[in-house]
Amino acid sequence: MTDKKKKFISPYEHTAPKGSEGWKELYPYFLVFQEQLKEQEEDKFFFCDSQHWPNVFKPFDAMTVEFAVKCLSQYNSRHYVIPPANGVDFKIHNGYCYMSPVAVSPELIEGRVPEFMERAGYYFQNWNELLENWHKKVKRVIDDMESIHFEPLPDRVDIQAIKGGVGLDPTFQMINDYNKLISLCYETWQYHFEFLNLGYAAYLDFFGFCKEVFPGIPDLSVAKMVQGIDVDLFRPDDELKKLAKLAISFGLEKCFEKKDVNEALHCIALEENGGQWLQAWEKAKHPWFNYTSGNGFYSSDKYWIEHLDIPYGYLKNYVEKLQRGEVIDRPTEALEAERDRITTEYAESLDDEARAIFEGKLGLARVVFPYVENHNFYIEHWAMGVFWRKTRELSRMLKEQGFWQQESDMYYFRREEILQVLFDYGNSWAVGVPAVGPAVLQEEISRRKKIVDALATAPPQPAFNNPPKVVTEPFTIMLWGITTEAVESWLGGDEKSSHMKGMAASPGLVEGYARIINDASELDQLKQGEILVTRVTAPSWAPVFNKIVATVTDIGGMMSHAAIVCREYGLPAVTGTGSASTQIKTGMKIRVDGGKGTVEILEELVEA
Amino acid sequence: MKPTYSLFFKDAKPEQLESLGGKGKSLASMSQADLPVPQGFCVTTDAFVAFIQDLMTAKGLFASLAKLDTKNMGSLDKLSGEIRSQILNKTIAADIQEDILASYRSLCEMYGKEGDLPVAVRSSATAEDLPDASFAGQQDTYLWVVGEDEVLSHIKMCWASLYTSRAIAYRKDHNIPEEDIHMSVVVQKMVNARVAGVTMTLNPTNGDRTKIAIEASYGLGESVVSGTVTPDNYLMDKVIFELVESSIQDKKIALIPDPANKRVIEIEVDPVKATEACLTRDELIFISKIAKRIEKHYGCPQDIEWALDADAEGEEAFTLLQSRPETVWSNKKTETKKHYMSGMQGLVGSLINPLSAKK
């Protein structure tokens, strides 16, 4: 062990890259480390959450961490009163986000138990009904967002508004709609955590029990016993597979030789059964193409429904595979049989009393766990997909009004700054003078772009300040895979090594050539049989899992997206290696042992 | 119909099991349950009966035995000696010999040897004839027997072991007719252990039945069993076959067979090799899988002695030497059982107790 009394640097000593001066103004004042609070902040241990937010935030996008982590926290601290855990403190530093779990003082824990029992107990007992209601609420939020439209202001107030004695103008509606959209996004994040923390709590309970009665049980075994087989998160990919099979059965293969999605769809329309196939394609789109190749936290995420070339690329690949006689289905039956075998064997080794408890805990974990896997589709993909689409609609409209030159420019402003822009627009419309924004905003956008680009030149620090002796906060371990060992390895992780250790996230031993993917846009570089090495994967990368033979990530625990998807696809995965994506280079031959959680560089690159 | 004089363990049909003697029968049943005992065959009781009947009748030895007074030690020893030397000197009838040698040749072929596979030759008496192991000639085990002539002569040595003075006297005293006695001989591949060890189908430190504990070192298993070497220690998960823990030791010495001198010698292990894990991950997995199968076969946790045979590859190399029921934890009932909390109480407990303390 490297216990040389090492600690991480203070964020106050961590300088920003050149060219990023003034970066703090891009984010809310309470989300950056303030000089006045130096002593207080340096007392906390922060780790970088690059699992959810791997890239530098544009100012508008910082809203995602603000809403998400605030809502996560409120459910711990105020809704369910989780005995040992309050919320998670969070800050943005040099463009990246850092988390600091807030523990409950030991003397207060016991007193919180009765409240937790009552509150969480109610949810566990009424899980299915409450969850059904959750689906309704989320669907309503999505519908409400869909109903919002941002259009240029008309020349005159509609005559009907005059005759109806409405007494309001379209700017009033526009500003209301903007506020409503932000508020619906906030509401989305409330619901996101309504069930998630409890889902993790039940999982942890089963996990802890297994660790006790089967000392040394691999984490993977626990995950496998709980894991769902038919998960909504995989539906988009499954829909593509169905479409691929339908295309083959209709004899539409030749249309899939086309590179361009529109050409392919045109070709299909002209075929005999083409109409029927296109109907199936349309049906699959809603809602399953509300699916991002990112993770839903960035305005730059590309959603399938707006970029049909993405699902088409996967679909084309499936059609080709089917033509070659390859199997494209996930081995669901085998996974189910394996899950049953594993569960039965562990259960059988227990005496009757312990077995009854095992089964009780497993039962609860299995009731709640589908939410842990599925919520992602409904929130990050579907709801956030609609949210980002609507914000783009607004940005596009304002672009057309001359406020900026690119659709993505709006995201260089904080969300409350957009209100000013809307007032500027509405004001100019009312007064009958040109808006000020078009004359001045572009310069500010360019300045901010430079700052964001400069911040992106430096990777985040793994952590700040003094690490705790032992990481005990249950959600930190579960969600982020931050364990005492992980923190230790970051501290000692300066020296280069051909051996890397991470979490044994999905079993199997594979050797192959690595490809480093830094961003979803690079996914098309992946070649059949390569090993995906990346900071973090998003679940929507699922279709590439048919191409690759293993996954290695820097960040993530047993329940990280990469881990879940790899187990589902039967691929080896090592997550949470800390630095694999920088230590390994594309083209290196590596060995991934998903059972042991190790990655080894077998062949260094030959310098050209 | 011509009787079957030689039978491979794996080929014996249920109605033939009686002709294999006690040891042969047990080997056949393990072999047929796919437990990886060293391959081999039995020279059946039919072969013995045919050989002995022939000999005894021709030389009038049954009559001499009938007349024998067992109280007279001198004549008992004399007759015993005569019978045994007659057995050793008599050529085995051609049809019996053909069967035995055909089996030996097949066994050689299985291991890619040309007629020179070292085997162990052991007597396998039937229990009714010889209720006491000490009379059974069970001690008659000949190791590192090589070649056809040697195999045949050692089979005869096993047969002859039925006619020690003590064995003859015992039968006389218990009115067991000489004409009825049977014996089978087991001919089994010698294990040329490259790595050997002991495996328990539970965690010996806490009785957890979802683990498999493996101890292993280079060479023959005697060094592990006797404790002359600190073996590598591995703990495997019995359900998903993942390595949970391991401790790799410096295994400086190994015991290996010296076939020429029919003994075991101690050698020094190459220092680099000595400190490396003596089992690969694949080996750990198949050892665990086989151990689990053995446990299932016997229906309770087992303590298994095994070896990896240098003459075979992969899973084929695993050789089961002995399996006994595990006694320590299997007999311990509920005395140290913990009380586990269920429902919300349990859930609260799990949240409050640091998870990392349980790892």
Side-chain angles (χ1 to χ4, degrees):
Chain A
M1 219 172 70
T2 51
D3 59 352
K4 293 241 167 70
K5 270 256 162 189
K6 273 169 119 188
K7 59 185 246 179
F8 299 97
I9 65 163
S10 154
Y12 292 87
E13 285 157 25
H14 184 231
T15 49
K18 227 177 129 224
S20 67
E21 292 76 13
W23 67 267
K24 282 190 181 178
E25 296 154 33
L26 304 194
Y27 308 111
Y29 70 90
F30 63 96
L31 284 191
V32 297
F33 289 106
Q34 297 286 5
E35 279 305 322
Q36 296 92 324
L37 297 170
K38 185 165 187 255
E39 207 178 316
Q40 177 186 321
E41 300 295 0
E42 283 188 335
D43 233 22
K44 302 174 190 166
F45 171 66
F46 283 91
F47 62 85
C48 179
D49 181 2
S50 46
Q51 179 179 346
H52 297 95
W53 291 279
N55 305 321
V56 168
F57 288 108
K58 288 176 190 165
F60 190 88
D61 298 7
M63 180 174 39
T64 58
V65 67
E66 198 183 325
F67 289 173
V69 186
K70 181 262 170 190
C71 291
L72 175 151
S73 297
Q74 83 196 35
Y75 277 100
N76 272 8
S77 60
R78 310 284 170 181
H79 288 249
Y80 303 128
V81 203
I82 305 278
N86 267 320
V88 176
D89 195 3
F90 59 111
K91 291 281 178 266
I92 295 177
H93 192 69
N94 293 344
Y96 297 98
C97 82
Y98 294 85
M99 306 283 175
S100 179
V102 183
V104 173
S105 309
E107 71 275 12
L108 297 179
I109 292 176
E110 207 52 46
R112 288 164 67 112
V113 170
E115 278 187 289
F116 172 74
M117 300 270 273
E118 183 187 0
R119 290 155 180 255
Y122 185 81
Y123 260 73
F124 286 130
Q125 275 155 27
N126 299 284
W127 191 269
N128 289 332
E129 298 94 282
L130 290 166
L131 189 58
E132 209 183 306
N133 189 44
W134 181 90
H135 276 280
K136 284 187 199 144
K137 291 185 295 190
V138 171
K139 185 69 185 10
R140 201 256 308 137
V141 169
I142 291 169
D143 289 345
D144 284 355
M145 285 199 279
E146 284 283 14
S147 73
I148 293 171
H149 294 286
F150 294 105
E151 282 159 10
L153 296 168
D155 264 3
R156 301 282 180 273
V157 170
D158 194 87
I159 186 71
Q160 297 305 326
I162 303 293
K163 292 183 174 171
V166 173
L168 293 169
D169 83 338
T171 68
F172 187 84
Q173 179 69 31
M174 183 176 72
I175 289 161
N176 262 359
D177 279 348
Y178 175 74
N179 282 328
K180 186 174 163 192
L181 183 61
I182 300 295
S183 162
L184 287 167
C185 177
Y186 185 37
E187 191 178 353
T188 299
W189 286 99
Q190 298 265 339
Y191 298 147
H192 180 277
F193 290 100
E194 181 186 352
F195 288 79
L196 192 63
N197 303 15
L198 295 180
Y200 280 131
Y203 182 82
L204 278 171
D205 180 34
F206 178 64
F207 187 89
F209 179 76
C210 288
K211 289 277 169 190
E212 209 161 299
V213 290
F214 314 118
I217 185 175
D219 293 0
L220 190 60
S221 289
V222 187
K224 282 191 157 192
M225 286 192 272
V226 175
Q227 179 172 311
I229 304 295
D230 258 323
V231 179
D232 287 348
L233 193 55
F234 299 108
R235 265 297 283 280
D237 187 35
D238 288 344
E239 291 294 323
L240 294 183
K241 287 171 177 166
K242 268 197 267 172
L243 286 168
K245 286 181 191 165
L246 195 64
I248 299 275
S249 74
F250 286 169
L252 301 171
E253 296 93 329
K254 76 169 170 39
C255 295
F256 290 87
E257 285 165 19
K258 306 221 177 281
K259 282 234 155 62
D260 180 78
V261 58
N262 293 317
E263 282 177 35
L265 293 174
H266 181 71
C267 166
I268 291 165
L270 300 175
E271 289 294 309
E272 199 191 324
N273 289 311
Q276 218 181 317
W277 190 90
L278 287 171
Q279 265 181 13
W281 162 262
E282 281 304 316
K283 204 167 157 237
K285 271 161 81 172
H286 305 286
W288 304 111
F289 283 19
N290 287 292
Y291 198 63
T292 168
S293 41
N295 61 13
F297 293 126
Y298 289 95
S299 56
S300 54
D301 271 11
K302 288 182 173 151
Y303 284 80
W304 286 11
I305 202 153
E306 292 165 277
H307 297 271
L308 291 175
D309 53 313
I310 300 172
Y312 175 73
Y314 297 137
L315 181 55
K316 182 171 153 54
N317 183 34
Y318 286 148
V319 170
E320 288 161 2
K321 282 196 166 203
L322 287 171
Q323 280 179 294
R324 288 196 298 267
E326 290 175 36
V327 177
I328 59 172
D329 299 286
R330 280 183 294 127
T332 46
E333 271 177 40
L335 285 167
E336 202 168 344
E338 179 68 352
R339 183 175 95 152
D340 290 346
R341 177 190 74 82
I342 291 174
T343 311
T344 312
E345 289 189 12
Y346 283 113
E348 278 174 352
S349 77
L350 296 171
D351 62 46
D352 291 349
E353 192 198 330
R355 192 186 308 165
I357 291 168
F358 171 86
E359 276 160 8
K361 288 181 191 295
L362 174 64
L364 181 64
R366 280 190 180 169
V367 167
V368 302
F369 206 67
Y371 177 80
V372 175
E373 296 174 301
N374 286 334
H375 76 276
N376 228 279
F377 175 75
Y378 295 96
I379 307 291
E380 278 90 339
H381 292 276
W382 194 359
M384 288 306 286
V386 178
F387 172 74
W388 291 121
R389 178 149 44 84
K390 292 297 166 180
T391 61
R392 269 191 284 279
E393 196 181 306
L394 175 63
S395 181
R396 207 158 40 237
M397 189 272 281
L398 291 168
K399 182 189 103 177
E400 281 157 17
Q401 300 306 315
F403 282 85
W404 38 70
Q405 287 160 7
Q406 284 175 351
E407 199 181 282
S408 59
D409 284 350
M410 185 179 84
Y411 303 104
Y412 286 91
F413 293 105
R414 299 193 309 271
R415 72 172 184 279
E416 73 276 12
E417 290 178 314
I418 302 303
L419 275 176
Q420 284 190 46
V421 176
L422 294 178
F423 266 90
D424 181 15
Y425 176 37
N427 188 55
S428 79
W429 172 83
V431 176
V433 291
V436 177
V440 304
L441 293 183
Q442 200 57 53
E443 204 176 305
E444 179 62 8
I445 290 166
S446 308
R447 186 183 77 90
R448 294 186 180 194
K449 264 187 192 171
K450 280 195 194 114
I451 295 176
V452 168
D453 290 348
L455 290 174
T457 58
Q461 287 289 310
F464 289 130
N465 302 330
N466 239 329
K469 275 203 196 70
V470 227
V471 177
T472 56
E473 203 284 315
F475 299 118
T476 310
I477 298 170
M478 243 342 248
L479 267 84
W480 286 286
I482 313 284
T483 58
T484 311
E485 299 83 58
V487 172
E488 261 164 28
S489 83
W490 295 343
L491 276 169
D494 297 336
E495 61 267 31
K496 283 237 162 194
S497 162
S498 62
H499 282 73
M500 282 149 275
K501 183 100 185 71
M503 294 237 171
S506 180
L509 182 74
V510 154
E511 285 178 15
Y513 292 95
R515 181 162 299 274
I516 311 296
I517 298 291
N518 291 310
D519 186 88
S521 63
E522 298 171 3
L523 282 176
D524 56 357
Q525 296 171 5
L526 273 170
K527 295 196 188 75
Q528 197 73 40
E530 287 185 327
I531 296 173
L532 168 64
V533 181
T534 183
R535 282 193 67 70
V536 58
T537 73
S540 51
W541 295 8
V544 310
F545 284 72
N546 272 292
K547 266 191 178 174
I548 58 174
V549 294
T551 301
V552 177
T553 70
D554 292 358
I555 311 285
M558 285 303 299
M559 283 297 137
S560 67
H561 303 143
I564 292 175
V565 178
C566 278
R567 287 198 292 274
E568 189 79 14
Y569 281 78
L571 296 177
V574 177
T575 58
T577 57
S579 59
S581 78
T582 48
Q583 294 206 29
I584 299 169
K585 304 277 176 256
T586 292
M588 280 181 174
K589 192 172 188 199
I590 59 172
R591 178 187 294 137
V592 179
D593 189 334
K596 276 204 253 172
T598 57
V599 182
E600 193 184 339
I601 297 173
L602 300 173
E603 283 171 22
E604 295 279 349
L605 288 181
V606 184
E607 297 290 334
Chain B
M1 206 183 86
K2 173 183 172 286
T4 311
Y5 295 127
S6 171
L7 258 179
F8 269 90
F9 306 150
K10 57 186 164 56
D11 295 336
K13 298 188 183 72
E15 67 273 16
Q16 295 173 312
L17 287 177
E18 286 311 313
S19 69
L20 309 182
K23 197 173 288 164
K25 194 172 156 183
S26 141
L27 281 165
S29 90
M30 287 196 281
S31 175
Q32 291 181 17
D34 270 337
L35 300 185
V37 290
Q39 304 252 29
F41 59 91
C42 293
V43 178
T44 64
T45 51
D46 291 332
F48 170 80
V49 170
F51 177 88
I52 289 293
Q53 293 279 355
D54 226 15
L55 175 76
M56 297 292 208
T57 319
K59 306 278 176 185
L61 291 168
F62 280 140
S64 312
L65 279 167
K67 283 185 287 183
L68 183 73
D69 172 11
T70 53
K71 305 276 184 312
N72 183 340
M73 289 306 285
S75 55
L76 174 60
D77 286 348
K78 188 166 168 268
L79 185 57
S80 159
E82 192 193 339
I83 295 174
R84 284 185 284 142
S85 97
Q86 290 281 359
I87 291 173
L88 296 180
N89 289 327
K90 182 177 158 67
T91 310
I92 301 172
D95 53 346
I96 301 175
Q97 203 175 113
E98 258 168 43
D99 276 10
I100 295 171
L101 293 180
S103 292
Y104 179 65
R105 281 170 206 142
S106 304
L107 191 61
C108 290
E109 258 169 54
M110 282 180 204
Y111 292 95
K113 300 268 180 186
E114 282 180 28
D116 55 355
L117 181 78
V119 289
V121 179
R122 298 181 160 100
S123 55
S124 170
T126 52
E128 310 83 63
D129 301 335
L130 298 150
D132 183 341
S134 61
F135 289 107
Q138 302 239 22
Q139 263 63 335
D140 292 301
T141 289
Y142 304 97
L143 302 178
W144 300 101
V145 176
V146 180
E148 298 184 355
D149 292 344
E150 287 285 290
V151 168
L152 290 175
S153 65
H154 282 86
I155 290 167
K156 287 193 287 188
M157 284 157 80
C158 287
W159 288 340
S161 70
L162 263 182
Y163 295 95
T164 58
S165 303
R166 278 179 81 190
I168 293 169
Y170 177 89
R171 286 195 292 271
K172 266 276 198 203
D173 294 346
H174 289 82
N175 296 317
I176 300 168
E178 283 297 327
E179 288 82 353
D180 290 356
I181 67 161
H182 297 130
M183 176 189 260
S184 166
V185 176
V186 166
V187 179
Q188 195 176 19
K189 200 252 174 205
M190 270 316 291
V191 180
N192 182 15
R194 111 182 113 75
V195 178
V198 208
T199 289
M200 277 206 204
T201 61
L202 48 66
N203 183 346
T205 60
N206 56 22
D208 174 11
R209 293 192 180 187
T210 66
K211 302 292 181 300
I212 289 175
I214 299 172
E215 289 200 324
S217 191
Y218 295 112
L220 298 168
E222 277 83 349
S223 55
V224 176
V225 180
S226 66
T228 52
V229 161
T230 308
D232 288 347
N233 197 301
Y234 309 87
L235 191 65
M236 295 286 288
D237 184 88
K238 203 198 277 179
V239 181
I240 66 166
F241 304 111
E242 288 292 340
L243 179 61
V244 175
E245 266 173 43
S246 66
S247 120
I248 307 304
Q249 304 293 333
D250 188 359
K251 306 165 289 295
K252 290 191 179 74
I253 57 154
L255 296 173
I256 60 160
D258 172 13
N261 298 305
K262 297 185 178 152
R263 59 173 189 163
V264 167
I265 51 169
E266 190 178 291
I267 56 154
E268 260 180 53
V269 179
D270 168 80
V272 176
K273 190 179 156 187
T275 53
E276 285 172 355
C278 67
L279 292 172
T280 65
R281 182 186 156 84
D282 284 348
E283 287 165 350
L284 287 168
I285 290 173
F286 73 66
I287 291 170
S288 303
K289 286 186 173 172
I290 296 168
K292 192 170 164 181
R293 214 164 66 213
I294 296 171
E295 179 189 56
K296 201 167 175 204
H297 179 74
Y298 290 107
C300 62
Q302 297 287 304
D303 180 346
I304 300 158
E305 278 176 41
W306 52 268
L308 295 188
D309 196 328
D311 301 335
E313 276 171 34
E315 210 177 317
E316 294 295 308
F318 184 95
T319 308
L320 168 61
L321 301 177
Q322 193 169 16
S323 188
R324 311 175 268 264
E326 190 279 343
T327 48
V328 179
W329 291 95
S330 306
N331 297 333
K332 205 176 268 190
K333 280 281 175 251
T334 51
E335 43 197 276
T336 58
K337 207 175 68 181
K338 288 186 198 152
H339 182 68
Y340 301 109
M341 283 189 295
S342 59
M344 286 298 287
Q345 291 282 1
L347 203 143
V348 168
S350 295
L351 285 174
I352 295 176
N353 287 318
L355 192 69
S356 49
K358 290 177 184 172
K359 288 225 163 186

